[in-house]
Amino acid sequence: MSETASRIIKIATKKRYKNKYHWTDYFSYFYLFLGVLLMFGPVVWLGLSSLKTLAGIQEYPPTILPLSQIQVDVEGYDKPLPIFNVTQEDGSVKQLAQIKRIGINAKMVDPLNPGETVKVPIDKREKIREFKIQWENYVDPLRKYDFLLYFKNSTFITVVATIITLIINSMAAYALSIYEFRGKNFALVFVIGTLLIPLTIILVPVFYVVANFGMINSLWGVILPGAATPTGVFLLRQYMLTLPRELIEAARMDHASEWAIYWRVVLPLSIPAIAVLAIFSIMWRWNDFLWPLIVLSKSEVYTLQIGLNAFHGELTSQWNYVLSMTMVTLLPIAIIFAYLQKFITTGIASTGMK
Amino acid sequence: MENISNQTKNFFLRILNIPFAFLMHAIDLIMWPIQKIIGVRNMPYIFLLPNLIFFGLFVIMPLVANFFFSLSSGDELLFAERELPTTKQYDQLFDCESYLNPNTCTEDFFWRGVYNTIFFVVFQVGLMIFFSVLTAVILNKKIIGRGFFRSVFFFPVLLSPVVVGLIWQWILLKNGAFNAIIESYGGDKVSFLTDPSWAMASVIFVSIWAHMGFYTLIVLAGLQAIPPNLYEAAEMDGTSRERIFFRITLPLLMPNLLVVFILASIKGVQTFDEIYVLTGGGPGTSTSLIVQYIFTTGFASSGSVQNFGLAAAASMVLGVVLLFLTLMQLYFSRNKESKHQEI
C-alpha cells in the first residue's frame, strides 16, 4: 500500500514541461471532477435516496442524506402529523404539528394542547428532521410483492445460461482450434456470419421458433436462444490456438479419449479466457431486457429487470420501492465489477466487445 | 488476458470443479463409444454440433424465416395459416406521398422512427465519440488516481438498461434532482422527459452517459498503442501540446476512431431498451426509434392485432442498414490492420 501511495505522490508531484503546469492539467482535473460527479453521482444519489421515506423522496428541493421529518401522534387526528419549529411573533420558537397547508398559511396544532389550532404563515416554520434509514424500502417489496421470485428467476437464467454457453462454446472452440477437418473453414465462416446478425433484426422469427417449442412464458425460452454466442466461440478459439500441441499429442499417447483431452487438458488451460466469457455472459444475462420482455408476459416468470419495469409502470408513485429494487438489481453486477474490474476492462479492450 | 490473478483462477476452479468433473465423466460414458464407432477424425463434428444446432435454430433459420414473414400477410404466427407470397407489407411500409414528411405515409409511425433514429444516431454517436476521445486523452495522462477515474467513467456500461432508465427518469423528473440544481442556480424548471422538444435531447444524454465508458476504453487502448518515442521526439523539439495532439495523437488514432464510429453507429441504430424504460418512445412519438416500431407492431400493439409480417418487413429494412454498416466496419478494420503492418 505504502509503495503505491509513494508512487502516486511521486507521479502527482512530477512536473513535466519546465516545472510549469499547463492549462490542460488544470482542465483535466476539472473535467475529471465533473465526470465523477456526473457518472458516479446518480448512483450514489440513488443509493442514499433508496433509504429515505416516500415523503423524503418526494420532497422538493431534495435533501442529500436520508433525513426525514419527525412525525407525532396527536390526539384527535388519525394520521401522525409532521412537526415544525415555528417562530412566534415575539421571536421565541415553539414546536407545532401541521394539520394541513392552505395557500401561504398552514393550519397547525400544539401537540401538547390538541384542542386549539393556529394559523401560521409557511415561511415562519421550519421542518424538524432526524436521520432515519428506512430499511422497510428493501424488506417490503420482497415480502409484499414478488421481487424474491424475480430475483430467483434472474439468478436461474443467469447461472444456467452461463453454464450452457460455456460448455457448448468451448466445445465448438475446441473443435475449431485443435483439429483439422473438412468443412472447418465453412464452420468458421458460419460462426462469423452469426456475429453479423443481431437479435433486433430477427425478433419475429425467433419468437416463432420459441413459440413452436412451447417455450413462451418459460425461462428456457430466454435461456436457449442466446446460448450459442459467436463472441464466445471466437474468444475461446483465439486462446486455445495458443496452447501447445504437444500436450494434446501426449494425452493421445496415453489413450485419453478426445472428450477427456477436451475437459482434462484443454479446458483447464483455457481458464483465463473462459473466465472472461463467464463474466460477459453473466453481465449479458443479468441485464438482458428486450428478449425477456417479448418472451415473458406472466408475472411468475418475470426476471428482475422485467419485474422492475412492470412494477414501475403499475405504481409510478411508489418511488421508494422502485429505488430500493433498482439498487438490488444493480448490486450483483456492481459487486462483480468491484472485484474483477481490471479483468473486465482488459477483456473488453482486448476483444472490443461487451 | 494472461495477467489474471491466481486467486480468481482458484476461486473459479474450486467452485466449479466437483459437479463439473461429475458431469464430464458422465458425458464421457457416451462420448467414448461414439469415438470408437466414428473414429478420432470425425470427433470435431461432434464437438461442433451443439453450438451449430443452436446457431441454426435461433439465428440462421430465423433469418430465412424473416423473409417469409415479411413476404406473407395475416395475423397468425404459423406459416400454414399465412398468405404467401405477397409484397403487401413492403408496399404498406413504403407507401408515402413524400418520404420527407412522415405524415403522408400510411405507416407514419415507422417513418417517424426512421427520422428519429437518424437524428438520434447522428447526435449520440457524434457527441459520444467527442467525449470518449476527450476522456481517453485525459485518462491517458499521468494523473493521480487514474485507475479510479477510469472505473468511474466505465462502470455505467455494466448497468442494465432498466436501471439506467429508472435512475435517470427519477433524476429528470419535474421535481427531481436535476431541476433542483437548475433552480438553485436561478434557472427555470424543465420537463426533460415530457416536453417533446427536450425528450430527445434527454434520451441522447442518457444514452451517452450509459455507453461512453465502453468507447472510452477502446480509444484508450488505441492511445496506448501509439509509440511513446514519437512523443519523446516531439517533446525534445519543444512542440506545444496542442500541436502534439493534432499532429501525432489524432492522426494515429484515426483508424481506431473509424472503427469506434461504425461500432457506435451499429449499436445506436438498434437502440431500444433505455428509451423504452425512460420515455416509452414518448411523448407522442418524439423518441420512438425503429426497434421500438418493430417491437410495438410485432409484440405489443394493445387493442389492435399484432402484425408479425409488418414487423418482419421493418426488421429487414433495419437489417439492410446494419449490413451496410457492418461491411464498412470490415472494410475499415482490414485497412487498419494493413496500416499497422506498414508501421
Side-chain angles (χ1 to χ4, degrees):
Chain A
M1 241 0 249
S2 67
E3 219 173 272
T4 8
S6 66
R7 239 184 70 217
I8 288 171
I9 293 164
K10 224 184 204 173
I11 293 168
T13 49
K14 186 183 168 192
K15 291 171 194 167
R16 297 164 76 195
Y17 283 87
K18 301 162 204 159
N19 292 339
K20 251 196 229 160
Y21 277 113
H22 193 255
W23 67 268
T24 52
D25 292 322
Y26 297 110
F27 175 75
S28 300
Y29 283 106
F30 174 72
Y31 180 86
L32 290 174
F33 173 74
L34 217 68
V36 170
L37 222 59
L38 198 62
M39 304 309 268
F40 215 53
V43 176
V44 173
W45 173 237
L46 169 81
L48 287 172
S49 298
S50 72
L51 300 169
K52 292 178 185 170
T53 57
L54 185 56
I57 289 170
Q58 283 165 343
E59 201 178 317
Y60 185 89
T63 54
I64 291 173
L65 290 173
L67 300 170
S68 68
Q69 205 171 355
I70 300 176
Q71 297 190 318
V72 286
D73 284 309
V74 181
E75 222 177 291
Y77 298 93
D78 310 338
K79 287 182 188 165
L81 302 174
I83 50 173
F84 289 82
N85 270 331
V86 178
T87 319
Q88 307 287 55
E89 273 165 31
D90 57 358
S92 67
V93 177
K94 203 174 171 191
Q95 288 191 358
L96 292 178
Q98 175 176 295
I99 303 164
K100 63 178 170 188
R101 191 182 145 183
I102 314 153
I104 56 157
N105 286 315
K107 200 174 163 195
M108 303 192 93
V109 64
D110 189 341
L112 304 171
N113 181 14
E116 231 176 281
T117 60
V118 277
K119 253 189 190 170
V120 179
I122 54 169
D123 54 341
K124 285 278 192 289
R125 34 157 240 186
E126 200 181 310
K127 288 175 180 172
I128 304 178
R129 299 168 185 281
E130 61 179 347
F131 186 79
K132 191 183 165 210
I133 289 177
Q134 187 83 355
W135 291 113
E136 287 86 346
N137 286 350
Y138 283 87
V139 181
D140 283 357
L142 296 177
R143 252 193 303 193
K144 278 196 239 161
Y145 304 98
D146 287 333
F147 276 97
L148 215 54
L149 180 69
Y150 304 158
F151 196 90
K152 262 194 274 178
N153 288 340
S154 270
T155 312
F156 179 80
I157 289 177
T158 306
V159 171
V160 174
T162 300
I163 290 172
I164 295 178
T165 299
L166 290 183
I167 292 178
I168 66 173
N169 281 3
S170 63
M171 279 168 70
Y174 171 67
L176 290 172
S177 57
I178 305 296
Y179 297 97
E180 290 302 330
F181 58 95
R182 262 174 83 186
K184 183 177 174 179
N185 284 334
F186 175 76
L188 267 173
V189 170
F190 191 74
V191 176
I192 298 175
T194 55
L195 194 63
L196 308 183
I197 306 162
L199 179 69
T200 43
I201 63 169
I202 49 173
L203 279 180
V204 174
V206 175
F207 182 75
Y208 171 74
V209 172
V210 170
N212 261 351
F213 283 120
M215 295 188 299
I216 300 295
N217 280 324
S218 140
L219 297 182
W220 292 101
V222 177
I223 292 172
L224 296 181
T229 64
T231 321
V233 176
F234 261 105
L235 188 70
L236 296 178
R237 176 176 178 265
Q238 284 326 93
Y239 196 84
M240 286 177 185
L241 283 174
T242 64
L243 301 179
R245 294 300 164 94
E246 293 79 10
L247 281 174
I248 292 144
E249 292 306 323
R252 231 170 246 155
M253 290 291 205
D254 291 343
H255 298 287
S257 72
E258 297 306 302
W259 181 258
I261 297 176
Y262 157 72
W263 81 269
R264 299 210 135 158
V265 180
V266 175
L267 272 196
L269 289 173
S270 315
I271 290 277
I274 287 175
V276 170
L277 179 61
I279 291 167
F280 276 3
S281 172
I282 289 170
M283 261 158 40
W284 292 331
R285 295 310 186 137
W286 188 265
N287 289 344
D288 202 8
F289 182 66
L290 175 58
W291 187 245
L293 186 67
I294 288 172
V295 176
L296 310 173
S297 57
K298 281 189 193 154
S299 73
E300 61 265 32
V301 284
Y302 277 178
T303 62
L304 209 45
Q305 312 286 345
I306 306 295
L308 186 60
N309 183 50
F311 180 78
H312 171 63
E314 281 163 24
L315 302 159
T316 359
S317 56
Q318 297 271 37
W319 274 108
N320 52 341
Y321 294 159
V322 172
L323 296 186
S324 61
M325 288 303 107
T326 307
M327 271 313 272
V328 169
T329 310
L330 75 79
L331 223 51
I333 294 290
I335 291 169
I336 290 178
F337 179 62
Y339 268 102
L340 303 173
Q341 55 143 314
K342 205 170 181 188
F343 198 35
I344 295 172
T345 46
T346 43
I348 287 180
S350 60
T351 60
M353 285 171 222
K354 63 166 172 176
Chain B
M1 257 184 275
E2 279 86 345
N3 53 13
I4 301 155
S5 67
N6 278 327
Q7 274 182 337
T8 339
K9 250 188 196 174
N10 291 336
F11 174 75
F12 272 99
L13 276 176
R14 236 178 288 152
I15 288 190
L16 294 175
N17 206 10
I18 299 157
F20 171 76
F22 186 78
L23 181 71
M24 290 295 145
H25 274 296
I27 297 177
D28 206 7
L29 291 180
I30 312 162
M31 288 300 216
W32 183 243
I34 293 177
Q35 190 185 328
K36 281 280 161 233
I37 297 163
I38 65 169
V40 176
R41 290 188 154 273
N42 290 324
M43 279 309 277
Y45 299 109
I46 302 291
F47 280 103
L48 265 178
L49 200 61
N51 214 55
L52 292 191
I53 288 175
F54 274 89
F55 277 146
L57 268 181
F58 296 111
V59 182
I60 303 300
M61 206 170 86
L63 192 67
V64 178
N66 216 8
F67 281 100
F68 288 104
F69 270 111
S70 68
L71 290 170
S72 64
S73 66
D75 305 331
E76 295 299 323
L77 193 55
L78 287 172
F79 278 126
E81 291 166 46
R82 296 179 65 85
E83 287 169 41
L84 249 172
T86 165
T87 56
K88 202 180 128 201
Q89 323 290 358
Y90 290 100
D91 292 342
Q92 194 179 337
L93 267 191
F94 288 99
D95 178 27
C96 280
E97 272 173 41
S98 154
Y99 287 116
L100 295 175
N101 184 359
N103 288 329
T104 62
C105 300
T106 317
E107 283 300 312
D108 56 333
F109 186 25
F110 173 74
W111 285 99
R112 257 174 251 268
V114 170
Y115 286 114
N116 282 343
T117 308
I118 293 172
F119 185 86
F120 176 85
V121 169
V122 166
F123 282 93
Q124 193 243 15
V125 171
L127 289 171
M128 187 157 68
I129 290 184
F130 173 79
F131 282 109
S132 300
V133 172
L134 183 61
T135 314
V137 167
I138 288 175
L139 288 177
N140 199 32
K141 289 165 65 129
K142 284 180 179 145
I143 45 172
I144 315 168
R146 196 160 113 187
F148 166 75
F149 286 119
R150 202 171 49 192
S151 355
V152 162
F153 279 93
F154 177 74
F155 96 98
V157 171
L158 305 176
L159 299 181
S160 82
V162 179
V163 169
V164 170
L166 288 179
I167 292 181
W168 281 104
Q169 192 185 35
W170 172 62
I171 289 177
L172 295 176
L173 279 179
K174 189 126 199 200
N175 279 336
F178 240 55
N179 270 325
I181 294 171
I182 290 176
E183 275 204 329
S184 73
Y185 284 101
D188 286 329
K189 275 193 193 178
V190 178
S191 324
F192 287 105
L193 297 173
T194 47
D195 181 344
S197 50
W198 273 96
M200 187 50 115
S202 313
V203 160
I204 291 173
F205 167 77
V206 173
S207 173
I208 293 174
W209 182 85
H211 300 294
M212 199 183 99
F214 174 68
Y215 298 98
T216 305
L217 208 61
I218 295 183
V219 176
L220 197 57
L223 283 176
Q224 281 162 355
I226 297 174
N229 52 8
L230 290 178
Y231 289 113
E232 280 158 22
E235 220 167 293
M236 294 259 216
D237 292 345
T239 320
S240 74
R241 287 202 191 183
E242 293 84 351
R243 207 177 156 82
I244 289 178
F245 177 77
F246 286 109
R247 290 295 162 90
I248 299 177
T249 312
L250 210 54
L252 285 175
L253 204 58
M254 237 12 180
N256 237 300
L257 287 187
L258 259 175
V259 173
V260 166
F261 169 75
I262 296 165
L263 213 62
S265 305
I266 291 176
K267 296 263 177 196
V269 170
Q270 298 179 66
T271 306
F272 167 76
D273 14 31
E274 296 120 5
I275 300 185
Y276 181 76
V277 179
L278 204 58
T279 65
T285 53
S286 51
T287 55
S288 84
L289 308 188
I290 297 181
V291 178
Q292 170 108 34
Y293 171 83
I294 297 172
F295 173 75
T296 315
T297 329
F299 303 99
S301 3
S302 51
S304 66
V305 190
Q306 299 169 329
N307 194 334
F308 293 115
L310 205 54
S315 359
M316 293 301 299
V317 176
L318 178 63
V320 171
V321 175
L322 290 177
L323 185 69
F324 173 72
L325 287 171
T326 313
L327 291 178
M328 261 171 70
Q329 183 195 7
L330 289 179
Y331 176 76
F332 282 120
S333 39
R334 186 177 286 177
N335 261 12
K336 180 182 144 195
E337 263 157 37
S338 57
K339 262 192 197 142
H340 270 288
Q341 278 159 5
E342 278 165 34
I343 293 171

